[in-house]
Amino acid sequence: MLTITLVSPYFSNWQLSIAKEIQAILQALPKFKTLAKLEQVLQWATINGAKALQWDDELGSFEKGKRPGVVVIENDFNSSNRIL
């Protein structure tokens, strides 16, 4: 099984923003803009990244004993704010 993980390298996104990486994927693949597909992209950016770094026992999802981070991303992807 192939696991896709999003990262935010400086050369593709000078803001180092995962929200900008998600925006780029959704712009490059317009047919990908369904709720189910957005959920899949969010998994690439959260739990899959935590698994790739072997931190999924601490991060990547909302589960008892984990320390999730919560970021609110505006609909236009032009701003995001970490709230937790």
Side-chain angles (χ1 to χ4, degrees):
M1 183 172 124
L2 175 68
T3 300
I4 298 172
T5 300
L6 293 183
V7 296
S8 185
Y10 185 77
F11 58 85
S12 72
N13 171 356
W14 65 268
Q15 299 105 334
L16 298 176
S17 167
I18 205 70
K20 291 294 184 183
E21 296 298 326
I22 292 170
Q23 180 185 32
I25 288 171
L26 295 177
Q27 285 177 346
L29 304 168
K31 293 181 181 178
F32 215 67
K33 287 187 179 182
T34 65
L35 182 57
K37 300 301 181 183
L38 181 57
E39 180 181 345
Q40 187 176 27
V41 172
L42 290 173
Q43 287 176 346
W44 296 349
T46 56
I47 190 62
N48 288 5
K51 286 178 181 177
L53 295 170
Q54 298 179 349
W55 290 344
D56 55 310
D57 59 331
E58 297 179 40
L59 305 170
S61 63
F62 292 100
E63 296 179 49
K64 186 176 180 175
K66 289 190 175 185
R67 300 177 296 130
V70 177
V71 177
V72 175
I73 302 172
E74 298 299 325
N75 287 339
D76 60 5
F77 292 92
N78 284 325
S79 66
S80 59
N81 295 305
R82 185 179 176 130
I83 59 172
L84 177 66

